[in-house]
């Protein structure tokens, strides 16, 4: 049995490539928090970098300086709770026979955290609800997570295998945290790691 | 190999309990189509029965007469493309060894239909995006589909088993039709019936 990981996003939010310089970090965090709130309140399409800057109490130029476009900022907002730079090594390190359980344990470790879940829910809803946000979420998942796991697999169907893994993980999150289907929402984390982990393991290696 | 079912919702929309009387059917269809458009354009929370009536070109009293509250109308809108009254018998009839494949074939039969998919996507997005719509979607799934399948299973974990099935089906729909993960979006229906059907089969009976 794999223990759920300590939720990584309870640490201070960091820049993906290199840590921010001193003094930068606070503005970045404020902007990311404001972005999540705006995406949650108005959806991706109706949110502007200007409205995010206003909510964060900073100049719009600072938003552009730190994050580039609105699409880049949405991607950075997803990155902060998901932390693929932590997830991928954690998933790929250890016996291959436990990879399925490690993946489910990592995902539930993130989503069970009471501080991370509300933010992750907002971003998931924004990512699924708009025609423009879904490709950003999908592109992020593929680039930062799925392609890296697929690269460790043999066979011509490695891409389909990791997409099937992603489908089960996406469905687990939707059914437990969005739809809150009663028996799944009440199931102990350990039981889900065992049952869903077995599915993931088969998609990856059978 | 189970063939994908003929998409049921290409037939005229019917009332769940008994067919509508002559002359009623047209207004009901207009209202359901208008409801789907309104839920899609504004989300569940911002849609009113009044705005649906205006879009359908009917009196709001007629909407109440046919469908009751906004929540009832949302549930009826989900029912029309999903048709659990057709799905459940189709899934439960036939050898138990093929149930997993039959479930995936039915779901893909509905979602692959070019006339049904746009409507189903709108309702899925509305159902996942708002805090009020998700419990309506979850309640509908449980009442009309999951509880009926669970009643055919033995063991104290029947509820969890069907919720795990629902999680994989929800994830398949999200990953293939909303996120459009490339390898999963391009996979032939037959291959998904085999691979995902095996997962469903294990959740149900292993």
């Amino acid at each position: 049995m794999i223990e759920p990981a300590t939720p990584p996003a309870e640490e201070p939010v960091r820049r993906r490539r290199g840590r921010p310089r001193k003094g930068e970090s606070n503005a970045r965090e404020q902007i990311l928090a404001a972005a999540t709130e705006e995406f949650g309140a108005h959806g991706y399409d109706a949110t502007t970098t200007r409205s995010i800057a206003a909510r964060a109490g900073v100049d719009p130029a600072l938003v552009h300086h730190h994050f580039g476009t609105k699409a880049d900022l949405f991607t950075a907002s997803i990155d902060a709770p998901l932390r693929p730079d932590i997830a991928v090594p954690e998933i790929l390190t250890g016996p291959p026979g436990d990879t399925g359980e490690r993946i489910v344990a990592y995902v539930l470790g993130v989503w069970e955290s009471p501080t991370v879940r509300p933010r992750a829910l907002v971003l998931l809803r924004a990512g699924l609800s708009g025609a423009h946000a879904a490709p950003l979420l999908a592109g992020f998942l593929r680039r930062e997570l799925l392609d890296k796991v697929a690269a460790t697999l043999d066979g011509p169907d490695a891409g389909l295998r990791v997409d099937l893994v992603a489908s089960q993980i996406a469905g687990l999150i939707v059914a437990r945290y969005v739809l809150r289907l009663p028996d799944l929402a009440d199931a102990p984390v350990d039981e889900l790691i065992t049952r869903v982990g077995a599915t993931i393991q088969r998609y990856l290696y059978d």
Side-chain angles (χ1 to χ4, degrees), chain A:
Chain A
M1 170 58 59
I2 310 288
E3 291 297 309
T6 311
E10 307 216 31
E11 304 166 22
V13 172
R14 293 185 226 148
R15 182 146 63 170
R16 279 201 42 67
R17 321 216 180 279
R19 284 167 172 279
R21 287 189 296 266
K22 255 196 164 171
E24 273 190 5
S25 140
N26 211 21
R28 282 182 53 86
E29 276 176 51
Q30 277 172 13
I31 293 167
L32 277 177
T36 301
E37 288 167 15
E38 284 288 302
F39 290 133
H42 309 297
Y44 178 80
D45 289 356
T47 296
T48 62
T49 49
R50 189 164 290 274
S51 70
I52 292 167
R55 192 186 277 256
V58 302
D59 192 273
L62 197 67
V63 176
H64 286 292
H65 169 73
H66 280 301
F67 295 100
T69 65
K70 178 173 83 166
D72 296 331
L73 181 47
F74 184 68
T75 300
S77 306
I78 303 168
D79 184 273
L82 218 67
R83 293 304 301 272
D85 57 330
I86 294 178
V88 171
E90 196 163 305
I91 287 166
L92 296 179
T93 305
D98 293 339
T99 306
E101 292 201 349
R102 280 200 302 280
I103 289 175
V104 181
Y106 184 87
V107 169
L108 293 178
V110 170
W111 279 83
E112 290 295 310
S113 153
T115 56
V116 178
R117 194 192 304 173
R119 187 156 51 135
L121 260 178
V122 158
L123 293 164
L124 177 71
R125 287 189 151 125
L128 297 184
S129 66
H132 296 108
L136 294 174
L137 177 54
F140 174 85
L141 292 175
R142 174 146 289 279
R143 204 167 50 242
E144 302 291 341
L145 280 172
L146 304 180
D147 283 351
K148 291 177 182 174
V149 177
T152 68
L153 301 178
D154 295 328
D157 61 348
L160 179 56
R161 286 169 179 275
V162 295
D163 280 2
L164 287 167
V165 169
S167 81
Q168 175 60 89
I169 296 295
L172 176 64
I173 291 168
V174 163
R176 182 170 167 97
Y177 302 110
V178 180
L179 295 176
R180 299 194 52 72
L181 298 180
D183 292 85
L184 195 64
D186 292 346
V189 164
D190 284 356
E191 179 146 20
L192 295 177
I193 292 174
T194 304
R195 295 208 192 205
V196 181
T199 297
I200 305 296
Q201 189 72 16
R202 289 192 201 94
Y203 281 148
L204 286 174
Y205 302 112
D206 269 10

